[in-house]
Amino acid sequence: MKAKKLQFIFDEFEHQHAYKSHSELKSGHINDTFLVKTGGETHYILQRINHTIFKDVPGLVNNKVLVSNHLKSKYSNTSEEKITNKVLRFVKIKNSNLYYLKDGENYWNLMIFIDDSITHEIVKNKEIAFEAGKLLGDFLNKTSDFESDKLIDVIPNFHDMTFRFQQYNASLKSASKERLEKASKYIKIVADLKDEMHILQTLKETGKIPTRVTHNDTKISNSLFDENNQGICIIDTDTVMPGIIHYDFGDAIRTICNTAAEDEKDLSKVEFNLAFYKAYKKGFLENTVDSLSEIELKYLPLAAKTMIFIMALRFLTDYLNKDTYYKTDYLEHNLDRAKNQFKLMESFTEKKYNLT
């Protein structure tokens, strides 16, 4: 984006700093995110929110701000400077809205950049896994007393297993004979696991597992660290909404504990990293054990398997639908992604008796 255009948008916010330069941050796949450097000590993250994915952007921004304000309230005896390094802080525009709407189409929001912070695209050691677990645990613990019904569902049915099976069953009916044949092994696996993969959904719907504030995008790159790899905070809260903690724990495990890339075709490289699982869980429980119920703790291992399965199912569904949702680089990209996740789930199942 040209500097003048981005500077104009930046100056619609009440920040009282002079734009100096900007660079695009490319770690996300949905929104456009820019680091704006100023002439002062404070820098900013300016984000264009993808309104084709997120249908209610004002509601989404309100979610983020409500949760950040709640987190900030947990640091009542902490200086403003230190709070800035622990909680995402959003900047209003000149009419007091927390987002800027340009040309009636593009939504923007502005956050204060947390200095001397880094992110990781992959986990390289147990220490980082442990710190990431602590960060998620801290986030869930500090929001455990927030009334989740104050938040909107930014992506309805995002982790709803019944909904995902409805999509999958529709894809079976419309898929070509060739794609059905190539996916036949995995279609059988899905059928065999259907009942088990609805357990968490049923527990949620019957109220046996409480609905809480959940992040819903807990990949490692959404954990912020300092230069010594000590955890700072959870970022990218666009998908914060009501859910169960198993969604967050399970998806973090899915992304952190795969020894290969998500679309690795050589399945011999795909294994479940048990050491990273134990480190992450240890950090997670360090900050949540007093706020989680006995039944929530009991089903943490199933959460990992369920979230691996749901991504395998989504990739498989998209393959059968001729690749209408995920971007693909070649004809069977989604099938390879699905195979990868099913192999990860198989490895997890083989090791599940050693999880504690």
Side-chain angles (χ1 to χ4, degrees), residues 71-240:
L71 290 171
K72 184 178 178 181
S73 73
K74 300 295 182 177
Y75 297 100
S76 57
N77 297 321
T78 305
S79 69
E80 194 71 19
E81 181 181 355
K82 289 185 178 180
I83 291 176
T84 301
N85 289 330
K86 292 178 177 294
V87 181
L88 297 180
R89 297 177 63 201
F90 297 88
V91 181
K92 295 180 179 180
I93 63 172
K94 294 172 183 177
N95 70 358
S96 295
N97 279 341
L98 282 154
Y99 60 88
Y100 173 62
L101 178 60
K102 181 172 173 56
D103 303 327
E105 182 176 337
N106 290 309
Y107 290 86
W108 296 80
N109 72 172
L110 187 71
M111 294 165 282
I112 296 175
F113 176 70
I114 298 177
D115 288 323
D116 300 321
S117 60
I118 59 174
T119 58
H120 297 285
E121 290 299 319
I122 60 172
V123 172
K124 296 180 180 179
N125 56 57
K126 292 185 294 184
E127 289 71 30
I128 293 175
F130 174 76
E131 284 294 317
K134 283 176 61 178
L135 282 180
L136 178 60
D138 186 61
F139 175 86
L140 294 175
N141 186 49
K142 284 187 168 63
T143 57
S144 63
D145 58 345
F146 184 90
E147 297 176 21
S148 63
D149 57 4
K150 292 181 179 179
L151 306 178
I152 68 160
D153 282 321
V154 292
I155 306 179
N157 301 314
F158 190 44
H159 294 313
D160 188 290
M161 191 65 75
T162 300
F163 174 71
R164 294 303 179 189
F165 263 92
Q166 289 172 348
Q167 291 182 312
Y168 168 71
N169 289 332
S171 74
L172 290 176
K173 295 177 182 178
S174 62
S176 67
K177 182 178 179 181
E178 179 184 7
R179 293 203 175 205
L180 286 170
E181 288 177 351
K182 289 185 176 180
S184 60
K185 174 182 176 181
Y186 303 99
I187 291 171
K188 184 180 185 305
I189 292 174
V190 170
D192 291 342
L193 289 171
K194 182 178 179 180
D195 290 343
E196 183 185 7
M197 293 298 98
H198 276 85
I199 290 174
L200 289 176
Q201 182 79 27
T202 301
L203 290 169
K204 176 177 179 286
E205 291 174 350
T206 57
K208 294 180 180 178
I209 291 179
T211 299
R212 302 173 178 266
V213 174
T214 47
H215 185 279
N216 296 291
D217 189 13
T218 50
K219 58 181 179 285
I220 188 62
S221 59
N222 284 336
S223 292
L224 204 63
F225 299 85
D226 65 20
E227 294 176 343
N228 297 315
N229 281 325
Q230 297 297 299
I232 296 176
C233 66
I234 295 286
I235 60 173
D236 196 2
T237 52
D238 291 343
T239 52
V240 164

Side-chain angles (χ1 to χ4, degrees), residues 310-311 314-315 318 323-328 334 337:
I310 206 168
M311 281 310 304
R314 291 178 65 186
F315 287 139
D318 202 33
D323 312 311
T324 58
Y325 186 82
Y326 294 106
K327 293 179 181 179
T328 56
N334 272 321
R337 288 166 170 155

Side-chain angles (χ1 to χ4, degrees), residues 316-331:
L316 183 59
T317 299
D318 202 33
Y319 173 72
L320 295 174
N321 282 334
K322 295 184 179 179
D323 312 311
T324 58
Y325 186 82
Y326 294 106
K327 293 179 181 179
T328 56
D329 295 329
Y330 56 90
L331 189 60

Side-chain angles (χ1 to χ4, degrees), residues 258 261-265 267 311-312 315-316 318 323 325-330 332-343:
N258 193 340
E262 197 171 64
D263 54 2
E264 174 59 59
K265 290 188 283 187
L267 298 183
M311 281 310 304
F315 287 139
L316 183 59
D318 202 33
D323 312 311
Y325 186 82
Y326 294 106
K327 293 179 181 179
T328 56
D329 295 329
Y330 56 90
E332 295 188 359
H333 199 169
N334 272 321
L335 182 58
D336 285 336
R337 288 166 170 155
K339 289 178 180 179
N340 181 296
Q341 295 297 290
F342 281 118
K343 173 61 189 305

Side-chain angles (χ1 to χ4, degrees), residues 234-340:
I234 295 286
I235 60 173
D236 196 2
T237 52
D238 291 343
T239 52
V240 164
M241 54 185 165
I244 57 176
I245 60 100
H246 303 82
Y247 297 158
D248 281 354
F249 179 81
D251 201 37
I253 293 300
R254 182 188 73 82
T255 54
I256 287 170
C257 295
N258 193 340
T259 58
E262 197 171 64
D263 54 2
E264 174 59 59
K265 290 188 283 187
D266 183 353
L267 298 183
S268 67
K269 296 180 180 179
V270 179
E271 291 289 336
F272 184 82
N273 191 316
L274 189 60
F276 286 3
Y277 173 89
K278 290 182 176 181
Y280 189 92
K281 183 181 178 183
K282 182 179 179 182
F284 178 79
L285 291 179
E286 186 172 297
N287 283 330
T288 60
V289 68
D290 293 331
S291 61
L292 297 185
S293 67
E294 186 175 330
I295 194 168
E296 285 177 305
L297 292 169
K298 175 183 176 180
Y299 284 100
L300 285 180
L302 181 60
K305 184 174 183 178
T306 301
M307 294 309 294
I308 298 170
F309 175 86
I310 206 168
M311 281 310 304
L313 186 68
R314 291 178 65 186
F315 287 139
L316 183 59
T317 299
D318 202 33
Y319 173 72
L320 295 174
N321 282 334
K322 295 184 179 179
D323 312 311
T324 58
Y325 186 82
Y326 294 106
K327 293 179 181 179
T328 56
D329 295 329
Y330 56 90
L331 189 60
E332 295 188 359
H333 199 169
N334 272 321
L335 182 58
D336 285 336
R337 288 166 170 155
K339 289 178 180 179
N340 181 296

